[in-house]
């Protein structure tokens, strides 16, 4: 079972609008940030393919994922 709060925001990137995203695990303040929707989707697919592995959003650290 995975539960996340998803935040999406649209930002200006040199005159071109792009989407940024962050996930927060339910019941946690740990967040992970993504520079694009493709990176977000790749992360979620990885979470669904390898349940129970360490290094996910539940860690007490805040990470940045960039393409």
């Amino acid at each position: 079972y995975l539960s996340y709060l998803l935040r999406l925001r649209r930002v200006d990137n040199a005159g071109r609008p792009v989407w940024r995203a962050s996930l927060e695990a339910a019941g946690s303040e740990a967040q992970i940030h993504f520079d694009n929707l493709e990176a977000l989707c790749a992360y979620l697919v990885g979470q669904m393919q390898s349940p129970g592995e360490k290094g996910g959003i539940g860690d007490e650290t805040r990470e940045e994922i960039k393409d």
Side-chain angles (χ1 to χ4, degrees):
Y1 179 82
L2 298 170
S3 180
Y4 299 106
L5 170 63
L6 169 64
R7 291 185 176 98
L8 297 169
R9 71 182 192 282
R10 196 168 145 170
V11 298
D12 183 19
N13 184 15
R16 200 179 102 207
V18 294
W19 286 97
R20 303 283 193 244
S22 68
L23 289 177
E24 182 177 318
S28 171
E29 291 184 20
Q31 292 184 5
I32 187 166
H33 298 267
F34 303 90
D35 280 343
N36 56 57
L37 299 180
E38 291 81 12
L40 167 67
C41 290
Y43 177 82
L44 291 173
V45 167
Q47 290 295 295
M48 291 184 288
Q49 290 178 345
S50 54
E53 286 189 16
K54 296 198 177 216
I57 195 170
D59 292 347
E60 293 299 319
T61 60
R62 183 177 170 155
E63 340 176 9
E64 299 282 331
I65 292 185
K66 298 184 180 189
D67 248 2

